[in-house]
Amino acid sequence: MAEQAGGGPAVRENPVAQSLKYAILLVGAVIVMLPMYLTATLSFKTQAESAKSFFSLPSGLYMGNFAEVVKGKFWIHMANSLTITVVSMLFIMILVPMVSFAISRNFRHRYFKFVFYFILSGIFIPFQVIMLPVLKHMSGLHLLNQAGLILMYIALSLTQGIFLSVGFLKNVPLELDEASTIDGCTVGQTFVRIIYPLMLPIIVTIVTLNCLWIWNDFQLPLILLNRSPNYWTLPLFIYNFKTDYGFDYNKAFAGFFLTMLPIIVLYGFMQRYIIGGLTEGALK
């Protein structure tokens, strides 16, 4: 009988259960990869080639679809998405750690505990519930523009971000704060010089998750940026793509490919931090 490293008998997995597990994983991988495969292959095909064989690999790298996509206002919408995402991330990277630090270090006080649970309650409210009030108030404040959209992203990101960051900071010992105070640091200096660098793993996790959300979000831009096509982000551009180009699926998929490429690259660099950051922020 095979033994484990600790000396106990190794537990053999049922072959049927193991085969079923891998079959489920294989089906899941196919479901995830098939849309990406179609997006990549159709982007490099002509209409005639797609009509002949929809699922086959392209015979060559036809770049005409990409040329047609970028010939219009694609770069304007790309700049809109990039501006909204980057500015939102900068504020989130500053505000979420600051608020979380204040709450975690004063959690014994009822006021800070109330603030934490009040912010946390936003997780349980579906966006559809607040959609019409958001539209009404933002219209009254004349914020149906990019600035209003950025403010909404910052506000909506606080719930998840503060939940994860407070959980992370509860494991950072208070002795570090006390030692820095003895050395003559103010609260602000303690946060900037000691706490913020220690929070980088959870900050990277929060930034990655929010980048994925903001870059791909459709609902909020549809509500707040629908006054003019010049305000559109890339998801709105893709949604209205068929109006400009009819139902040319090759050009549409070329637009999909260009839209998702930046965020796929970002996720590829940052994905290793996500699981670790989520685990440290939510479970410790």
Side-chain angles (χ1 to χ4, degrees), residues 194-240:
I194 298 174
I195 303 300
Y196 195 90
L198 292 174
M199 292 183 67
L200 286 180
I202 195 66
I203 291 173
V204 171
T205 300
I206 292 169
V207 166
T208 305
L209 293 174
N210 281 286
C211 274
L212 291 171
W213 164 49
I214 293 173
W215 185 269
N216 295 309
D217 186 39
F218 176 77
Q219 283 187 318
L220 271 175
L222 179 65
I223 295 171
L224 300 180
L225 300 181
N226 215 17
R227 298 175 64 183
S228 169
N230 292 327
Y231 292 164
W232 287 351
T233 57
L234 284 175
L236 287 180
F237 167 70
I238 295 299
Y239 175 73
N240 292 278

Side-chain angles (χ1 to χ4, degrees), residues 8-283:
V11 178
R12 289 188 176 182
E13 190 173 2
N14 189 316
V16 176
Q18 189 175 17
S19 300
L20 182 61
K21 179 178 68 175
Y22 285 115
I24 294 173
L25 291 174
L26 180 61
V27 171
V30 170
I31 292 174
V32 171
M33 295 302 298
L34 183 59
M36 298 182 66
Y37 169 79
L38 290 176
T39 301
T41 56
L42 290 175
S43 299
F44 295 101
K45 288 181 180 179
T46 62
Q47 284 184 304
E49 190 177 0
S50 296
K52 182 179 178 181
S53 180
F54 190 78
F55 291 97
S56 65
L57 290 170
S59 58
L61 297 179
Y62 175 68
M63 305 300 293
N65 297 321
F66 297 98
E68 288 293 327
V69 171
V70 301
K71 189 168 61 176
K73 293 184 177 181
F74 175 84
W75 296 114
I76 295 177
H77 306 310
M78 173 70 83
N80 291 340
S81 287
L82 190 62
T83 301
I84 291 169
T85 303
V86 171
V87 175
S88 299
M89 285 302 100
L90 290 176
F91 280 98
I92 290 171
M93 289 172 63
I94 296 172
L95 292 178
V96 169
M98 288 175 61
V99 176
S100 302
F101 175 67
I103 291 175
S104 66
R105 289 306 190 249
N106 298 278
F107 201 74
R108 62 186 181 276
H109 300 301
R110 285 186 294 179
Y111 170 75
F112 287 93
K113 188 177 293 187
F114 169 77
V115 170
F116 175 71
Y117 287 116
F118 178 76
I119 294 174
L120 195 62
S121 65
I123 295 178
F124 305 101
I125 301 175
F127 178 75
Q128 290 77 8
V129 175
I130 64 173
M131 185 166 57
L132 291 179
V134 164
L135 177 61
K136 179 180 178 181
H137 287 295
M138 299 302 278
S139 177
L141 294 171
H142 305 288
L143 286 173
L144 296 180
N145 48 37
Q146 291 186 8
L149 183 60
I150 291 171
L151 289 175
M152 284 303 305
Y153 281 138
I154 296 170
L156 294 175
S157 70
L158 292 177
T159 52
Q160 182 193 60
I162 290 176
F163 169 68
L164 294 174
S165 298
V166 169
F168 182 90
L169 284 171
K170 285 182 178 179
N171 298 280
V172 177
L174 289 171
E175 286 77 7
L176 291 176
D177 300 30
E178 297 169 356
S180 64
T181 301
I182 293 172
D183 290 338
C185 291
T186 63
V187 175
Q189 290 172 331
T190 300
F191 172 73
V192 173
R193 296 180 181 180
I194 298 174
I195 303 300
Y196 195 90
L198 292 174
M199 292 183 67
L200 286 180
I202 195 66
I203 291 173
V204 171
T205 300
I206 292 169
V207 166
T208 305
L209 293 174
N210 281 286
C211 274
L212 291 171
W213 164 49
I214 293 173
W215 185 269
N216 295 309
D217 186 39
F218 176 77
Q219 283 187 318
L220 271 175
L222 179 65
I223 295 171
L224 300 180
L225 300 181
N226 215 17
R227 298 175 64 183
S228 169
N230 292 327
Y231 292 164
W232 287 351
T233 57
L234 284 175
L236 287 180
F237 167 70
I238 295 299
Y239 175 73
N240 292 278
F241 197 83
K242 60 184 179 182
T243 303
D244 295 331
Y245 297 99
F247 286 91
D248 191 333
Y249 291 105
N250 298 93
K251 293 184 177 66
F253 274 97
F256 299 155
F257 186 83
L258 290 175
T259 300
M260 71 183 190
L261 189 60
I263 205 66
I264 287 178
V265 173
L266 175 67
Y267 184 79
F269 281 108
M270 299 296 187
Q271 60 89 21
R272 63 182 179 140
Y273 297 102
I274 293 179
I275 296 177
L278 287 173
T279 303
E280 292 181 18
L283 299 180

